[in-house]
Amino acid sequence: MKTIQGPAIFLAQFLGDEPPFDSLEHLAQWAAGLGYKGLQLPTAPRLFDLEQAASSQQYCDDVTALLARHGLQVTELSTHLQGQLIAVHPAYDALFDGFAPEHVRGDPLARTAWATQQLLWAATASQRLGLKAHVTFSGALAWPYLYPWPQRPAGLVETAFAELAKRWLPILDAFDAAGVDLCYELHPGEDLHDGVTFERFLAAVNDHPRASILYDPSHFVLQQLDYLAFIDIYHTRIKAFHVKDAEFRPNGRHGVYGGYGDWQDRAGRFRSLGDGQIDFKAIFSKMAQYDFPGWAVLEWECCLKHPEDGAAEGARFIRDHIIHVAEHAFDDFAGSAVDQDQIHHLLGLK
């Protein structure tokens, strides 16, 4: 059995214009100083050049060496924003155009083609870096029809997932050729947001071996889904792990849907590690039980606490929760050598 690797940190929420958040070198030094051992890298051009990484082994080696100087590794690359653009319902075109470069804005077909190329480059770049997993979003065509009123016409959801699968299958095949698992973060706003929708997608892509899950329990708390039972059901597909806390405190005025409130005013809120309701001792125990092969990666999002405090506390929190897996059974001291003849004797067999 393997011990989870970590602590690691997802850098997306920490990118900024001022040191130490303005460059990969400065972020690496900052994260290492907090005790992190790995970085999950968003593929923002000023942090990590995806196109160059896909074409240049030297570039990837240079990034690996830069992090190694600070005692760090790349855990996964992230294409969350590009993955979102693989499938966008027209209702969200204007809002999601900001995720794309200017030359494809206002042109949904060109935007999807650009996003697809980004994911294909990510497969090659991940392979060049020696990574085993990649993290992303699925995008969404059916999300505006989440609530079954007005009544959905028969076949709408099935058609949406068939189209989603059509767009993702070539990408999944590219990741398969690269030997990398493609891990979808199951997230509200995506067509893949819970176990049922992941299973719909899995059926549509013919149980593709690389279709995997980025497990983030915070999104399940906000949906009121059993995040521990989820691990029992889907552990064979969980290949990446965001350690993010949340709380759900409904009252007589609002619940899961939030009443269009800001994050501070919602019943479901993301919190810094240890400030929410998630039972991380149980989660890390299940991850150890099922031999999770990857990294425990902090994704910091909190509507109250300062991000630098959350990052500092998060490294200690993850380190304290990682279970160093035992190399032998706890009761081996009481074991004795038994041969087959003795086994037959103990069972009353001749």
Side-chain angles (χ1 to χ4, degrees):
M1 296 179 68
K2 304 179 184 69
T3 296
I4 295 176
Q5 301 178 82
I9 186 170
F10 184 30
L11 294 181
Q13 285 80 12
F14 297 95
L15 279 173
D17 296 325
E18 300 295 329
F21 308 112
D22 59 333
S23 70
L24 183 57
E25 176 81 53
H26 291 157
L27 280 161
Q29 186 175 11
W30 167 77
L34 295 177
Y36 288 101
K37 303 298 182 185
L39 301 181
Q40 189 177 86
L41 299 182
T43 49
R46 66 190 178 97
L47 189 69
F48 184 87
D49 190 321
L50 193 53
E51 181 177 3
Q52 189 174 358
S55 61
S56 170
Q57 184 62 51
Q58 186 60 57
Y59 177 82
C60 292
D61 292 344
D62 289 345
V63 170
T64 299
L66 184 158
L67 298 189
R69 289 197 296 271
H70 299 284
L72 295 164
Q73 301 178 50
V74 180
T75 65
E76 300 93 7
L77 299 178
S78 156
T79 55
H80 282 80
L81 301 188
Q82 299 98 314
Q84 181 77 67
L85 300 182
I86 295 294
V88 177
H89 188 279
Y92 294 97
D93 268 340
L95 293 174
F96 283 141
D97 252 358
F99 289 0
E102 288 189 13
H103 71 276
V104 298
R105 293 176 187 172
D107 187 341
L109 291 178
R111 186 182 59 203
T112 297
W114 173 83
T116 299
Q117 182 60 72
Q118 290 277 302
L119 267 294
L120 295 175
W121 281 337
T124 303
S126 295
Q127 183 182 38
R128 290 186 182 278
L129 288 165
L131 304 177
K132 298 300 182 184
H134 179 79
V135 296
T136 195
F137 279 150
S138 69
L141 298 173
W143 180 257
Y145 309 104
L146 176 72
Y147 196 76
W149 179 261
Q151 292 181 351
R152 295 186 290 253
L156 183 146
V157 173
E158 290 78 7
T159 301
F161 274 82
E163 178 63 26
L164 196 67
K166 178 183 176 182
R167 298 184 188 191
W168 277 105
L169 267 170
I171 300 169
L172 284 162
D173 288 343
F175 274 89
D176 193 28
V180 180
D181 293 317
L182 184 54
C183 305
Y184 297 98
E185 182 171 357
L186 305 185
H187 189 292
E190 312 302 318
D191 279 343
L192 275 59
H193 55 269
D194 59 11
V196 172
T197 52
F198 179 73
E199 289 178 19
R200 283 185 182 272
F201 180 73
L202 204 55
V205 296
N206 304 311
D207 290 326
H208 199 289
R210 295 297 176 179
S212 303
I213 295 169
L214 163 56
Y215 176 77
D216 183 335
S218 68
H219 302 301
F220 298 154
V221 168
L222 270 57
Q223 296 181 67
Q224 290 296 279
L225 184 153
D226 187 334
Y227 56 84
L228 295 177
F230 184 94
I231 301 174
D232 293 327
I233 298 168
Y234 299 107
H235 59 89
T236 60
R237 292 278 180 172
I238 295 173
K239 301 298 176 65
F241 177 21
H242 270 177
V243 188
K244 189 170 75 174
D245 211 343
E247 62 186 0
F248 183 70
R249 302 182 186 279
N251 57 35
R253 303 180 72 186
H254 66 172
V256 170
Y257 298 111
Y260 298 111
D262 294 331
W263 280 113
Q264 287 192 22
D265 301 324
R266 299 175 70 88
R269 310 191 299 183
F270 299 127
R271 299 299 308 276
S272 280
L273 285 182
D275 294 345
Q277 297 171 330
I278 294 178
D279 185 353
F280 281 104
K281 286 187 177 181
I283 288 175
F284 275 85
S285 293
K286 284 189 178 292
M287 290 297 201
Q289 173 186 342
Y290 291 119
D291 206 17
F292 172 69
W295 287 81
V297 181
L298 168 72
E299 183 183 24
W300 178 87
E301 290 181 346
C302 183
C303 59
L304 299 175
K305 184 169 287 185
H306 193 281
E308 291 182 50
D309 291 341
E313 294 169 3
R316 295 191 297 270
F317 186 95
I318 293 174
R319 185 174 60 248
D320 290 345
H321 278 77
I322 288 176
I323 295 172
H324 185 200
V325 177
E327 297 175 357
H328 52 78
F330 66 89
D331 57 356
D332 275 1
F333 75 95
S336 59
V338 179
D339 60 27
Q340 197 63 38
D341 288 340
Q342 187 176 7
I343 289 173
H344 285 168
H345 177 73
L346 290 169
L347 295 174
L349 305 176
K350 294 184 180 179

